[in-house]
Amino acid sequence: MSLRINETAPDFTAETTQGTINFHEWIGDGWAILFSHPKNFTPVCTTELGAMAGVEGEFRSRNTKVIGISVDPVESHGKWKNDIKVATGFDVEYPLIGDRDLQVAKLYDMLPAEAGSSSEGRTPADNATVRSVYVIGPDKKIKLILTYPMTTGRNFAEIIRALDSMQLTAAHKVATPANWQQGDDVIITAAVSNDEATERFGSFDTVLPYLRKTKQPAL
């Protein structure tokens, strides 16, 4: 069965470049981003891991841990990290999961059960579906899933923007409109009456009976 938003993120134990982790324990009481890659030493993924290394501090400041996964053994990751530094100028300091038995890729429905039990001999094309981003909340629930084709590098600014929205809307009874950025007006959810909206937010604009906008509340 496919994973869905608001389902509990599957827990697992795995080897990483920073030792063995239990995923839910590793997340702790903050947020987490798990992003996957079909194969080490592939061009688009190399740029992506470097780009993530460059903005990891942005996620850390939002109480969010980052962890990568590739369908390759941990010992291969160390060599790949050297290439990432050469290509992007950034050191990968967040952990990378080694998924040589395809356990995590299958657990997260990125590969089918019949994909086998080893990364050995598999090509990037065999693992093309291992190209997802999962944002997981402190409650260990999946908050967002993005899946990309192999030829399209991920936009990490968009992942940060989406994370900002999710953290804001988790703290307040608001939603964010299309193309929202930090500081833009937000939408008051339908669960909030006009009286409660006035009490919570002060003033607001009624664009349509079901669309009310107000200034962004502070996180």
Side-chain angles (χ1 to χ4, degrees):
M1 182 179 293
S2 298
L3 293 177
R4 296 181 176 87
I5 288 175
N6 291 327
E7 291 184 346
T8 298
D11 196 13
F12 58 85
T13 299
E15 295 299 316
T16 80
T17 51
Q18 296 180 12
T20 303
I21 66 159
N22 175 275
F23 189 49
H24 282 190
E25 286 182 8
W26 177 84
I27 292 173
D29 60 1
W31 294 66
I33 292 177
L34 171 69
F35 71 118
S36 62
H37 305 84
K39 193 79 176 168
N40 290 2
F41 306 105
T42 52
V44 175
C45 294
T46 298
T47 66
E48 289 179 328
L49 268 76
M52 176 60 95
V55 297
E56 187 190 1
E58 294 289 333
F59 291 104
R60 195 181 306 115
S61 71
R62 291 161 170 81
N63 193 29
T64 302
K65 292 181 176 179
V66 173
I67 191 164
I69 175 173
S70 172
V71 182
D72 274 308
V74 168
E75 52 267 28
S76 173
H77 293 345
K79 299 174 184 176
W80 190 22
K81 285 163 69 173
N82 293 331
D83 282 4
I84 294 164
K85 176 66 181 283
V86 170
T88 70
F90 293 108
D91 288 308
V92 174
E93 297 180 345
Y94 51 86
L96 297 177
I97 296 166
D99 195 29
R100 69 190 312 158
D101 61 0
L102 314 182
Q103 172 201 357
V104 180
K106 291 180 180 180
L107 194 61
Y108 276 75
D109 199 41
M110 294 182 283
L111 286 175
E114 61 269 20
S117 59
S118 174
S119 62
E120 191 70 30
R122 295 181 64 87
T123 69
D126 294 330
N127 304 329
T129 50
V130 188
R131 288 276 294 150
S132 295
V133 178
Y134 303 87
V135 178
I136 300 161
D139 57 1
K140 311 302 183 290
K141 304 285 188 184
I142 296 172
K143 307 300 182 183
L144 175 146
I145 303 172
L146 297 169
T147 301
Y148 291 75
M150 288 179 62
T151 52
T152 301
R154 283 167 266 207
N155 184 325
F156 292 95
E158 165 57 15
I159 297 171
I160 293 171
R161 187 198 75 89
L163 178 65
D164 283 343
S165 170
M166 287 180 279
Q167 292 187 338
L168 177 69
T169 58
H172 300 279
K173 292 183 177 181
V174 297
T176 56
N179 300 321
W180 174 85
Q181 299 286 341
Q182 276 282 7
D184 290 352
D185 288 353
V186 297
I187 294 168
I188 301 169
T189 63
V192 179
S193 68
N194 284 341
D195 288 344
E196 185 184 354
T198 300
E199 181 180 342
R200 280 178 170 272
F201 308 113
S203 62
F204 61 90
D205 295 324
T206 302
V207 181
L208 294 165
Y210 54 85
L211 176 56
R212 297 166 297 167
K213 287 189 172 183
T214 191
K215 298 296 182 184
Q216 175 186 320
L219 272 173

